[in-house]
Amino acid sequence: MNPVSPESPDPRPDVLVFDVNETITDMSALGARLTDVGLDAGLLPAWFAGVLRDGIALTLAGGRASFAEVAADGLRALLARERPGQEAEPAVRHVLDALPDLPVHPDVPDGVRELHAAGVRMLTLTNGSAGTTRAVLGRAGLADLFEAHLDVEGAGGRWKPHPAAYAHALRTAGVPAGSAMLVAVHPWDVDGAARAGLRTAWLRREPVPYPSALHPPDAEAEALTDLAHRLTARRGRPGS
């Protein structure tokens, strides 16, 4: 199977806006931290999905809370169910303190460097913390290859896929929506960006189909290196 869908984004995007959690960062490393506090590492996907559900629901309802606040509440609920009687706060801190130390996916360094070498402008946009993003990418030697690291605090605390989050990235980059492309592993993020007018690329890190109810991506790749090859080949090198 061709790792990149045959449809190529045209015109070429001037700016790539990267999602962070699970798109850039490998969050599976948090499983060991869950184990440390007496939780099953297999609870990680459900916990993270709950964080996204509650944060997005708050935005829809007109509320506001940071990723750290919502993530901590989710961990407290898990501990109350799985480890009744255990003091929650030290365990919550132990898990969340690992976020800045998460590794990036193996395909990310080469993909980012290829895009940067080709003169592609790049930003990150996360529902989490821009500071955490800088720490993760700094450890990987990649932080300075991006023009900016953004979080949804700059969008009034409204989590993606709210249009305000993508508008914040567009304002920062100084480009219209049609000149930017979101790169994300989450179909709901791809759908939200598409509805906000951005072009989109879906990183399909797991062998699952794209949801038929959501707006389809303009490009699809199994790894960032695959997407980078396609985009840089069509863009050409600086000065070409």
Side-chain angles (χ1 to χ4, degrees):
M1 175 176 137
N2 187 346
V4 181
S5 62
E7 297 84 2
S8 56
D10 187 21
R12 295 182 298 259
D14 293 328
V15 176
L16 295 182
V17 179
F18 281 83
D19 174 53
V20 179
N21 290 326
E22 295 190 306
T23 299
I24 288 176
T25 58
D26 182 358
M27 298 188 69
S28 65
L30 288 178
R33 291 291 180 118
L34 294 182
T35 301
D36 289 344
V37 300
L39 295 172
D40 188 333
L43 292 170
L44 177 61
W47 166 68
F48 184 60
V51 174
L52 292 175
R53 177 200 64 215
D54 291 350
I56 292 169
L58 270 170
T59 291
L60 289 173
R64 177 170 180 170
S66 70
F67 182 92
E69 291 170 318
V70 178
D73 282 341
L75 287 169
R76 293 183 188 109
L78 276 181
L79 288 160
R81 287 196 299 267
E82 303 292 328
R83 306 283 296 181
Q86 177 176 323
E87 187 179 357
E89 295 315 304
V92 169
R93 287 195 300 272
H94 181 70
V95 175
L96 297 186
D97 284 351
L99 289 172
D101 296 325
L102 287 175
V104 299
H105 285 287
D107 58 300
V108 168
D110 286 346
V112 167
R113 290 186 180 112
E114 180 173 353
L115 290 164
H116 182 264
V120 180
R121 299 175 60 197
M122 296 179 289
L123 296 80
T124 60
L125 175 65
T126 180
N127 284 336
S129 160
T132 297
T133 300
R134 291 188 194 96
V136 167
L137 290 174
R139 290 176 64 250
L142 303 171
D144 292 342
L145 303 186
F146 293 81
E147 289 186 11
H149 299 293
L150 309 176
D151 57 37
V152 294
E153 285 302 303
R158 288 169 288 190
W159 289 39
K160 295 182 295 174
H162 194 284
Y166 307 108
H168 173 44
L170 296 173
R171 285 194 302 272
T172 301
V175 298
S179 295
M181 170 180 277
L182 178 85
V183 180
V185 74
H186 305 115
W188 57 262
D189 202 357
V190 170
D191 178 82
R195 294 179 190 278
L198 283 74
R199 295 186 170 273
T200 57
W202 180 44
L203 289 186
R204 189 172 64 88
R205 295 196 180 280
E206 297 182 357
V208 295
Y210 190 87
S212 61
L214 302 185
H215 198 291
D218 295 299
E220 176 183 326
E222 293 177 358
L224 182 55
T225 46
D226 300 324
L227 181 65
H229 294 338
R230 172 61 65 88
L231 294 178
T232 57
R234 298 188 65 83
R235 184 185 184 93
R237 301 289 170 176
S240 64

